[in-house]
Structures are given as C-alpha cells and as structure tokens.
Amino acid sequence: SLSTSAASESDADELQKEQQARSVLRENFLRCLLSAASKNVQFNMYEKVKMEAKFGACDIDVLNFQVSDLHTPIGVQKEALIRSQDVISFTFEI
Amino acid sequence: MEGGWPLLGPLQWVRYVKKQVKVKVGRNEEVRGWLFTVDPVSASMVLVDFMESEGTLVQVVMGHAVEEVQVLKEPDRKIADRLQSMFLPPRTSILDP
Amino acid sequence: VSRRSTAAPPCERPGERRVAEMKKLYGKDAAKILAMEAAMQLTFDRNCDLKQPKYWPVIPLKL
C-alpha cells in the first residue's frame, strides 16, 4: 500500500542519515586519535591518579591505550598499556 | 542531558557537535570545551579549547565517565570554521572547496 | 573430498561478517572507516608486539 511504502522510504532515509552521522563522528574521532601519536598526553584517571605519557596508539574498540614513558605515581614505566575503563579523560596539545 | 549519554546515538550526538559544552565527569569534576566529535563506538567526547596565544588543547572524555552534558554556547563563524578543519591532513584542508 | 561438520554457511569467509556489520553501521562510508580502523589497529598491534607493554596499574582501578 501507499502508506507502508512511504513509511519504509522514510525509515530508509532515517537509517541513511544515522549512518552518515555515525561515519562523520567516527572518522573525526579516529583522526583525533591518530593526531595524538607521539604527543605528550596527560591522563586523568579514577582514584585521583594523574599521569603523563607519550601516546602510542589505541585499539579500535577504545579499550586500551598503548603508551611509552608512563610517569606513574610510583615511577616511570618504559612501555605500558592503560585500560580505558580506568581513564576519565586525557588531554594533549596540537 | 542527564545520564544515558552513551545510549543517545549518532543523530542525538551530532546535535551537540560544534557547540561549547560543560560536561560533568566522574565525581564532581567538570570540563568545558567546543565539542569536536563523539566516538560512536565508545561515546567518548573530543573537546577542544582554542588557547589565546599558543596551540589548541584537546580533551578526550571517555564515554563511560560522562555524567551530564550541558550546552553553553553556539559557535560563531570563526569557531565553526576552526572546528571544521581540525585534524585534517594539510592537503585536504587546502584543496577542499 | 572434505566434509563440512559445522553449521556455518559454506561460503562465509572470515571478515565477511565484519564487513556486513560495518555496512549496516556506516552505509556507503563503510569501506573508508574499515580502512582507517584497520590501519589504526595494525599500528596498535605492531607497537604491542614490538614494545611488549605491561598493564598499568596491574589491577584495574575501577572494577
């Protein structure tokens, strides 16, 4: 019928809009992470822990950050992985 | 917006993009900045702060830590343009119309 | 002659499911996002192989 085909058309339209929005958001996020590589990053962690490190890379599910020269509260760890669930936010300059 | 930030989805998140927002994170902490993007996978927010003299400060707030998001300001033309060209490879930002 | 013992459809190749999922999420931009993600994951994996980073803290701060 006319009404159902119109409805499915607007559903398809809506889906396409959502896909487009998701693509732009994701692409921009990935670009931002790529730009963090080799930069000094400040990590603001849970339990009031703050640490500085040189950013390496991140996995695509944003579960782990690979960093170097991590200044932990108890010394420097040359190579480290930080769990994103431990992180509140991180900051860098471009 | 109070609670449920990670559940909003792309069509809701884009409504906050390019606006200056105040984000409540963790316990009683607050960050502000222009929202550049939201990662649709982790709901993490990328906030930028254009500093007076030197570079640009980028703050990534993990989606799981976001408690509340409040819009403070709409961007003017200059801010919108700066946000648009952030993180682009140099050649693209010059050649794109 | 090999006999398939699993219930998996015979022609599904590895990665195909992921491509289909990406297509659903990102529509016509799926290939571009997939390529960007692949590059990023490759860098992450290569760095981890090369540098053998250890988790810090050893026990998650937030359980």
Side-chain angles (χ1 to χ4, degrees):
Chain A
S1 81
L2 224 159
S3 64
T4 53
S5 77
S8 69
E9 211 167 276
S10 79
D11 276 0
D13 206 45
E14 190 76 357
L15 177 68
Q16 205 178 19
K17 270 190 205 144
E18 187 177 289
Q19 288 171 335
Q20 213 155 34
R22 186 181 283 113
S23 300
V24 172
L25 291 169
R26 180 66 166 164
E27 181 176 347
N28 284 340
F29 184 72
L30 294 175
R31 284 192 196 284
C32 165
L33 283 183
L34 288 175
S35 81
S38 306
K39 296 223 161 56
N40 276 323
V41 172
Q42 282 81 42
F43 285 94
N44 175 22
M45 318 273 288
Y46 284 98
E47 309 305 330
K48 295 188 161 64
V49 177
K50 297 203 191 293
M51 310 191 289
E52 198 164 317
K54 199 178 94 176
F55 198 88
C58 166
D59 57 78
I60 58 172
D61 299 313
V62 203
L63 296 175
N64 302 287
F65 301 109
Q66 174 263 320
V67 302
S68 301
D69 296 319
L70 176 66
H71 288 65
T72 81
I74 52 165
V76 177
Q77 186 167 317
K78 189 88 194 81
E79 304 294 346
L81 279 179
I82 298 173
R83 298 174 191 84
S84 67
Q85 65 180 53
D86 287 341
V87 178
I88 294 174
S89 65
F90 64 89
T91 309
F92 60 97
E93 273 181 46
I94 55 166
Chain B
M1 195 286 311
E2 197 166 342
W5 174 259
L7 301 174
L8 288 187
L11 291 175
Q12 293 296 313
W13 290 322
V14 288
R15 298 168 62 184
Y16 291 84
V17 166
K18 287 193 178 166
K19 292 176 182 165
Q20 191 183 45
V21 293
K22 181 167 91 174
V23 185
K24 256 168 78 176
V25 292
R27 291 175 199 91
N28 297 320
E29 275 183 83
E30 183 184 296
V31 289
R32 286 161 191 249
W34 298 97
L35 183 62
F36 172 66
T37 193
V38 180
D39 176 31
V41 174
S42 65
S44 299
M45 308 173 79
V46 178
L47 303 174
V48 298
D49 204 342
F50 302 114
M51 293 177 293
E52 293 285 309
S53 48
E54 319 97 87
T56 301
L57 188 70
V58 182
Q59 294 191 84
V60 182
V61 181
M62 306 314 302
H64 60 74
V66 175
E67 299 281 344
E68 196 186 319
V69 182
Q70 199 186 322
V71 173
L72 297 176
K73 223 197 262 178
E74 301 283 331
D76 59 24
R77 185 63 198 266
K78 209 171 131 203
I79 296 279
D81 285 351
R82 283 184 83 171
L83 286 166
Q84 188 70 45
S85 58
M86 293 258 311
F87 304 115
L88 284 180
R91 59 186 166 81
T92 317
S93 57
I94 292 165
L95 291 180
D96 267 7
Chain C
V1 182
S2 73
R3 274 186 54 190
R4 299 183 61 89
S5 56
T6 65
C11 50
E12 189 177 342
R13 280 174 286 140
E16 231 168 63
R17 183 192 298 269
R18 171 130 176 91
V19 171
E21 275 168 14
M22 293 293 283
K23 193 91 191 143
K24 213 162 84 187
L25 288 171
Y26 298 102
K28 62 176 176 53
D29 292 323
K32 178 166 74 173
I33 302 292
L34 202 59
M36 288 183 79
E37 288 189 352
M40 195 165 98
Q41 187 67 42
L42 188 71
T43 307
F44 178 84
D45 292 343
R46 199 188 46 207
N47 287 1
C48 287
D49 281 351
L50 224 65
K51 298 160 188 276
Q52 299 284 315
K54 300 283 179 289
Y55 273 112
W56 201 95
V58 177
I59 310 284
L61 287 172
K62 205 179 179 227
L63 297 166

